[in-house]
Amino acid sequence: MPASRPPTVAVHSLPTIEVTKAMAARAGTFTELVLEHAAELASTDAFIFQRDTSAGAETDRLTYAELDLNAKRIASWLQARSAFGRQVLLLYPSSLEFISAFLGCQYAGAVAVPAPLPGEQGHHFQRVTGIVRDAEVKAVLTISANEPEIRAWLAAEGLDQVECLATDADPASYGDPSAWVEPVFGPE
């Protein structure tokens, strides 16, 4: 009697992998690659995030179209604040919001600076303050649950010039994706 094989799960079908390889060969930048994916694979999952909750595992999905829209919204907000070539601090828990924010920085031509969320201990806020000052951060991106504390911390440190955006807030409250302009990069 032949042994039964465990079921397998395909993340992408073969045609999708082939399409992705062809797109990567044509794209000049990471942003161009994601834009192509958004155009040609719009309804395909770009990222799947599984998190443990008290009710069990929950799965969040982000399609290429959703990722592109979120990134353009964040990028247009950053572009309106002249963040091209500037550092943007990303303070997120593990989530799909982080991915959208990271890509939003790429779309804006800004430099994403991921850092762990400041914890309860004051020394961690000191560490993040050092990052903000050393990197000459233009803005901080986070989620709405952390935004009030981060705004208060920025004000307490005299960093009022550093703007803060909760990227999971009502999308109508920030960034117009149609206002996004693809940045032009020079040879350096």
Side-chain angles (χ1 to χ4, degrees):
M1 181 168 180
S4 64
R5 301 176 99 191
T8 58
V9 178
V11 175
H12 287 285
S13 64
L14 187 56
T16 303
I17 291 171
E18 293 307 315
V19 167
T20 300
K21 286 180 182 177
M23 288 177 183
R26 290 190 309 261
T29 67
F30 180 71
T31 300
E32 290 171 350
L33 178 63
V34 176
L35 289 168
E36 278 196 54
H37 276 69
E40 296 182 27
L41 304 170
S43 62
T44 303
D45 287 332
F47 291 94
I48 299 170
F49 182 76
Q50 190 164 8
R51 54 191 161 81
D52 290 326
T53 67
S54 59
E58 290 186 14
T59 302
D60 296 322
R61 296 173 180 277
L62 187 65
T63 66
Y64 281 105
E66 293 165 334
L67 177 60
D68 181 60
L69 181 67
N70 294 346
K72 284 179 178 173
R73 189 178 310 285
I74 293 165
S76 71
W77 185 87
L78 290 168
Q79 287 176 334
R81 283 147 184 84
S82 303
F84 180 84
R86 301 285 307 275
Q87 288 76 7
V88 177
L89 187 65
L90 307 181
L91 295 177
Y92 286 90
S94 296
S95 67
L96 294 176
E97 286 295 331
F98 169 81
I99 295 167
S100 292
F102 185 87
L103 189 60
C105 289
Q106 301 297 305
Y107 273 28
V111 179
V113 181
L117 278 165
E120 297 291 322
Q121 300 122 356
H123 73 281
H124 190 69
F125 265 114
Q126 290 173 335
R127 180 172 174 245
V128 177
T129 299
I131 293 170
V132 171
R133 291 188 196 286
D134 291 346
E136 298 178 1
V137 166
K138 176 74 175 170
V140 176
L141 304 179
T142 191
I143 59 172
S144 54
N146 299 316
E147 182 187 24
E149 184 178 12
I150 290 171
R151 284 187 186 276
W153 156 68
L154 289 169
E157 292 296 326
L159 298 167
D160 297 324
Q161 77 282 6
V162 178
E163 295 192 59
C164 183
L165 172 66
T167 59
D168 63 340
D170 175 20
S173 67
Y174 71 92
D176 175 6
S178 66
W180 173 74
V181 177
E182 189 170 356
V184 178
F185 298 97
E188 60 281 339

